[in-house]
Amino acid sequence: MKLVKSYSARAFVTIIFPVLALSACETVQTTQGGVVGVDRSQRMALSAQQLDQAAAKQYVELIAEEKKKNNVNRDPAQVARVRTISNRLIAQTPAFRPDAKAWQWEVNVLTSAEVNAWCMPGGKIAVYTGLIDKLKVTDDELAAVIGHEISHALREHARERASEKMVAGSVISIGSALLGVGSLGQQGAEYAYMGVIGLPNSREHEREADRIGVELAARAGYDPRAAITLWQKMGQVGGSAPPTFLSTHPSSADRSSDLTAYAQRVMPLYLQTKNR
């Protein structure tokens, strides 16, 4: 009887819960494929509105806090440079998402030694002065990093990751309770999830953002090959990189190879724009 009970519980977890988890998701195509051909379908358990509202709240709070420290847009020339590049990239987003044209885009420069930039869901962009100053980025390289971050927003990677965690957390918690594996077993299941699903998906997101980013740059008239030198500079300031299988980013060699191939693919777009 004990064996039957155990088998029933395991069958319920392995068969019923994945079905329930998947049924709670919707399959979406957040972007058009573009020349780079990013056309992977995505499973979403959260609505875009839910995440956009949370992101907007977080953004307002973050900018307000940084303004108190006088860290927002302190250098007018630097801000003008970042906004000019960003606006040229934003103008190309309808090639992947026609609705992005109506987003409430906002671009700010934050004074921080951190080498970082981001684009929140809905089009809120921030570039840190540490990235500009420490990497001594060219306009083409700055377009590469901003284009990469915009691409994450266009593909709604944050929504996808949040959906994955929400579904996985529910399945792991309920499954662990039914199987009686305890907290240690649940922790092991969470680590297994991250190793098998979580981190590889995150690396896939990075690849997609790289590829869409170089196309946005090329369409905006920036040399897409600058993405290669940008990430080489990033690697130099990043210190010792973790092994690929534990990293949320592709390895330096993999990323360089992929960027080289896709930058070449979009070169005709760049040359066409440059020669107008």
Side-chain angles (χ1 to χ4, degrees):
M1 292 295 293
K2 186 175 182 181
L3 180 61
V4 173
K5 182 178 180 181
S6 176
Y7 174 80
S8 298
R10 290 176 189 276
F12 192 63
V13 170
T14 57
I15 297 174
I16 300 301
F17 281 150
V19 172
L20 291 175
L22 289 173
S23 66
C25 298
E26 62 172 330
T27 301
V28 300
Q29 194 75 32
T30 54
T31 60
Q32 298 170 359
V35 171
V36 291
V38 174
D39 57 3
R40 177 180 61 88
S41 296
Q42 297 159 278
R43 303 284 291 179
M44 303 294 193
L46 292 170
S47 70
Q49 183 180 21
Q50 284 176 295
L51 199 67
D52 286 352
Q53 289 176 345
K57 182 175 183 295
Q58 183 183 9
Y59 176 76
V60 169
E61 292 173 352
L62 185 152
I63 293 299
E65 187 63 27
E66 292 300 317
K67 281 183 176 178
K68 290 179 184 178
K69 303 173 185 176
N70 191 32
N71 286 339
V72 181
N73 302 330
R74 282 167 50 173
D75 183 337
Q78 208 169 50
V79 174
R81 180 191 180 202
V82 170
R83 285 181 173 170
T84 295
I85 294 170
S86 297
N87 288 336
R88 284 174 59 177
L89 293 165
I90 291 167
Q92 302 305 318
T93 58
F96 290 95
R97 282 192 69 143
D99 67 313
K101 188 175 182 180
W103 287 6
Q104 299 300 306
W105 294 92
E106 187 173 328
V107 183
N108 291 296
V109 177
L110 303 183
T111 299
S112 169
E114 188 177 350
V115 178
N116 197 15
W118 42 260
C119 180
M120 282 190 179
K124 301 298 189 286
I125 299 170
V127 176
Y128 290 40
T129 55
L131 183 146
I132 298 171
D133 298 335
K134 290 183 179 179
L135 300 187
K136 301 188 186 307
V137 288
T138 65
D139 283 0
D140 291 322
E141 289 170 341
L142 194 50
V145 71
I146 297 172
H148 175 92
E149 297 305 325
I150 287 175
S151 300
H152 279 307
L154 294 177
R155 285 291 288 165
E156 297 187 47
H157 285 152
R159 179 183 166 202
E160 188 175 10
R161 291 287 288 161
S163 296
E164 290 169 0
K165 288 183 178 180
M166 185 179 78
V167 172
S170 298
V171 172
I172 290 170
S173 296
I174 299 172
S176 297
L178 283 174
L179 293 174
V181 296
S183 60
L184 184 61
Q186 181 169 340
Q187 186 180 54
E190 289 169 352
Y191 283 140
Y193 164 75
M194 287 303 295
V196 175
I197 299 175
L199 295 182
N201 277 355
S202 184
R203 289 195 291 272
E204 181 65 26
H205 292 176
E206 290 301 314
R207 277 189 288 269
E208 290 180 348
D210 279 349
R211 293 172 185 180
I212 293 176
V214 295
E215 182 166 340
L216 287 176
R219 288 179 178 276
Y222 294 104
D223 192 335
R225 295 168 296 187
I228 302 165
T229 58
L230 167 75
W231 294 111
Q232 287 172 344
K233 288 181 178 180
M234 284 279 199
Q236 291 168 0
V237 301
S240 179
T244 301
F245 66 90
L246 290 179
S247 174
T248 59
H249 291 245
S251 71
S252 179
D254 288 347
R255 179 169 239 161
S256 179
S257 176
D258 196 69
L259 283 169
T260 298
Y262 280 85
Q264 190 61 40
R265 183 179 295 191
V266 300
M267 277 299 290
L269 292 174
Y270 167 60
L271 295 174
Q272 182 181 0
T273 303
K274 187 179 178 182
N275 293 330
R276 283 177 185 169

